[in-house]
């Protein structure tokens, strides 16, 4: 199991996507655990802070109106205390919080789905592809042929556009869902994929030191990808990125500092970041 004090990121990128799990150093904001958070995390399930976040810094929890959330023209930080849940259309017994949508400037949608007992998913609109990543509980994915897969924490499924499927939950589960209108190419089709992070190989990262896994094939039919990125204490990106890709990011574990534009933000597990094309990011 990933050390819960170390940052891990789930990152979506178009045309490439990523998940980031970052591990930071032993001093300052990057320390683990915080002296203000005495919760024993060693006995907690993986990614528990994503589904049970605490407002940080904790001494400001009772300050009316306080939030770390920020919205700018080219980026946004959406922190857990700002999530607004309501029933998801066409899903049963499921609450959703939309975190990134085209209203913010993105060309994809990212939301949390909290499935309760005897809940079931709806389908995305026509020509829209979907990826789900489980952060809590378990769900059963069934396709139109009757083939089922059980998805547990740290597992995921890519569902091509117009792929008939349903997700069923008998207890409770929390999913991170990415959706976007698929960019069709002649003679290229995507395949239904079910996998888990720990089954994906570590990839080389020339000039960098972090650990990288890609959840989808890096081939022409797939118009985005999901990356899981792990950083050990003291590690950081060497490149200061400015590029055409959009990103949606969920910090799965740990805490650290993220640069977006000219601002430097303290971030922690449960935080979501949207990055527009060409915004400086590090």
């Amino acid at each position: 199991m990933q050390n819960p004090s170390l940052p891990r990121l789930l990152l979506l990128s178009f045309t490439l996507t990523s998940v980031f799990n970052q591990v930071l150093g032993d001093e300052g904001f990057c320390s683990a655990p915080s002296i203000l958070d005495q919760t024993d995390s060693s006995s907690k399930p993986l990614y528990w802070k994503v589904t049970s976040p605490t407002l940080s810094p904790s001494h400001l929890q009772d300050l009316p109106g306080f939030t770390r959330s920020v919205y700018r023209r080219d980026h946004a930080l959406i922190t857990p205390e700002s999530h607004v849940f309501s029933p998801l259309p066409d899903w049963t017994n499921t609450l959703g919080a939309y975190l990134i949508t085209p209203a913010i400037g993105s060309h994809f949608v990212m939301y949390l789905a909290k499935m309760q007992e005897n809940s079931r998913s709806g389908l995305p609109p026509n020509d829209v592809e979907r990826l789900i990543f489980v952060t809590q509980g378990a769900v059963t994915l069934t396709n139109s042929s009757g083939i089922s897969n059980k998805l547990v924490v740290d597992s995921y499924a890519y569902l091509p556009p117009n792929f008939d499927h349903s997700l069923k939950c008998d207890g409770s589960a929390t999913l991170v869902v990415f959706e976007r209108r698929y960019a069709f190419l002649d003679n290229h089709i995507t395949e239904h994929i079910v996998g888990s992070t720990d089954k994906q190989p570590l990839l080389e990262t020339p000039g960098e030191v972090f650990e990288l896994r890609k959840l989808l094939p890096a081939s022409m039919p797939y118009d985005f990808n999901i990356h899981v990125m792990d950083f050990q204490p003291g590690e950081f990106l060497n490149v200061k990125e400015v590029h055409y890709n959009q990103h949606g990011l969920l910090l799965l574990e740990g805490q650290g500092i993220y640069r977006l534009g000219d601002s430097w933000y303290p971030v922690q597990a449960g935080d979501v970041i949207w990055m527009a094309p060409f915004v400086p990011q590090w």
Side-chain angles (χ1 to χ4, degrees), residues 231-271:
F231 290 74
Q232 298 302 316
E235 293 181 351
F236 54 86
L237 282 171
N238 286 315
V239 63
K240 279 64 71 175
E241 297 183 1
V242 177
H243 53 44
Y244 69 93
N245 306 80
Q246 287 197 39
H247 292 300
L249 180 151
L250 171 64
L251 191 65
L252 293 170
E253 294 182 308
Q255 55 190 15
I257 302 294
Y258 218 100
R259 177 183 175 175
L260 298 165
D262 294 327
S263 299
W264 304 73
Y265 299 101
V267 293
Q268 64 182 35
D271 289 355

Side-chain angles (χ1 to χ4, degrees), residues 127-223:
D127 298 337
V128 170
E129 57 191 336
R130 169 184 281 174
L131 186 138
I132 62 169
F133 185 92
V134 182
T135 61
Q136 179 264 324
V139 297
T140 299
L141 169 66
T142 304
N143 63 25
S144 58
S145 300
I147 299 174
S148 296
N149 297 97
K150 185 176 182 179
L151 304 179
V152 297
V153 174
D154 215 29
S155 58
Y156 63 92
Y158 169 77
L159 306 159
N162 308 317
F163 180 80
D164 192 12
H165 66 278
S166 67
L167 297 162
K168 187 174 183 295
C169 181
D170 295 325
S172 67
T174 302
L175 315 176
V176 185
V177 185
F178 298 98
E179 294 175 350
R180 81 180 298 258
R181 191 162 298 280
Y182 181 65
F184 287 92
L185 291 175
D186 292 341
N187 303 317
H188 291 284
I189 59 172
T190 57
E191 301 291 340
H192 170 218
I193 295 174
V194 174
S196 62
T197 301
D198 61 352
K199 296 292 195 268
Q200 305 311 307
L202 288 174
L203 302 177
E204 293 186 4
T205 54
E208 299 289 353
V209 294
F210 63 86
E211 294 181 348
L212 171 65
R213 294 173 173 86
K214 293 185 179 183
L215 303 189
L216 295 180
S219 58
M220 184 65 73
Y222 296 88
D223 55 1

